[in-house]
Amino acid sequence: MTNPAPTPRRTARLEQRRTELIRVAYELVTTRGFRTISVDDIAAAAGVSHGTFYNYFANKRDILDAVIDHCFDLLRDRLLGPESGDDPETLDAFCARYGRVVDRCYELVDAEPGLVNFFLLEASSIDDRVIERCMSHARRYAAQAVRQVGRGITRGYLDPQLDPRIAGEVLLSVLVSALLSALRAGSDGLTQDRVRAQTTAFLRSALGAPG
């Protein structure tokens, strides 16, 4: 005899429990580091048993994939913001948008320094699977940037000689560079205002249509 299908309410409860485990694991990973925590720590912080944890994830390494996905969701929402789907009409609007991204990098480091430290400094040292998962997310951001560059070329404010794929990688590099500058918090003499001004000036000269 087969088990009855879960009701919508039970399905929602199961999903909520899984989400809570990921949230707790994220908090532990970004405050203490992945290597220092255990399944015991995650289960205890979530207030569940070992058995409950293993109903959702095979081991600590398994939940890390979900934590990385959560990290990138936060990065996308916090850095690109509500205007992520907007389509700038002019070079001024295009550069201003990335100026706001720079500001959001600093806001994110202030609010969640552990997230940025994990993303930039720890994640890539764990194993190749983490690197590939991070690269998969980065490629999605780059693809979005490529589309923006293509539309900018079509509208005439970006250089028609640009290769949108390369320009998209440049925009991804700008985001990572701004996060690193925010982590250094001006210790290298680069203030937030200077990073924003230099970033937008670079994008204007490197990507803008001639003349």
Side-chain angles (χ1 to χ4, degrees):
M1 181 176 179
T2 59
N3 292 324
T7 64
R9 180 176 296 180
R10 182 169 183 273
T11 298
R13 284 201 305 270
L14 292 172
E15 185 58 32
Q16 183 178 2
R17 176 60 57 80
R18 183 179 186 277
T19 299
E20 177 64 10
L21 284 167
I22 295 168
R23 186 194 65 78
V24 167
Y26 163 80
E27 294 291 341
L28 292 172
V29 165
T30 56
T31 55
R32 292 170 49 182
F34 174 72
R35 291 183 176 87
T36 69
I37 65 171
S38 65
V39 169
D40 285 349
D41 295 322
I42 299 170
V48 302
S49 67
H50 281 72
T52 297
F53 176 91
Y54 289 116
N55 283 337
Y56 295 90
F57 301 99
N59 48 44
K60 185 182 79 166
R61 181 60 189 77
D62 188 33
I63 199 173
L64 179 62
D65 287 339
V67 168
I68 291 169
D69 294 344
H70 180 65
C71 285
F72 273 90
D73 286 344
L74 288 174
L75 287 167
R76 181 196 64 227
D77 293 344
R78 297 291 294 273
L79 297 184
L80 301 184
E83 63 188 352
S84 61
D86 290 355
D87 194 2
E89 299 278 351
T90 65
L91 182 60
D92 285 343
F94 179 86
C95 293
R97 179 182 179 185
Y98 281 93
R100 291 190 292 274
V101 169
V102 170
D103 288 336
R104 291 185 188 121
C105 286
Y106 281 80
E107 292 166 4
L108 182 62
V109 168
D110 284 342
E112 297 200 50
L115 166 60
V116 181
N117 271 294
F118 173 73
F119 167 61
L120 292 180
L121 305 178
E122 184 186 4
S124 62
S125 70
I126 294 173
D127 60 32
D128 289 344
R129 197 168 110 194
V130 171
I131 295 173
E132 177 52 37
R133 201 171 192 93
C134 290
M135 290 302 297
S136 176
H137 282 285
R139 283 192 290 268
R140 280 196 284 274
Y141 170 80
Q144 180 179 339
V146 167
R147 290 192 293 271
Q148 284 186 351
V149 171
R151 289 193 291 266
I153 292 172
T154 299
R155 290 183 170 172
Y157 63 81
L158 295 185
D159 189 340
Q161 299 302 313
L162 288 172
D163 183 325
R165 293 167 300 176
I166 296 175
E169 293 291 339
V170 167
L171 292 174
L172 177 59
S173 298
V174 163
L175 187 151
V176 174
S177 177
L179 282 172
L180 284 169
S181 294
L183 271 181
R184 290 192 290 264
S187 62
D188 53 6
L190 293 176
T191 64
Q192 180 176 345
D193 287 344
R194 187 177 178 189
V195 171
R196 185 197 316 108
Q198 291 293 314
T199 297
T200 54
F202 166 76
L203 291 177
R204 184 179 296 277
S205 63
L207 305 184

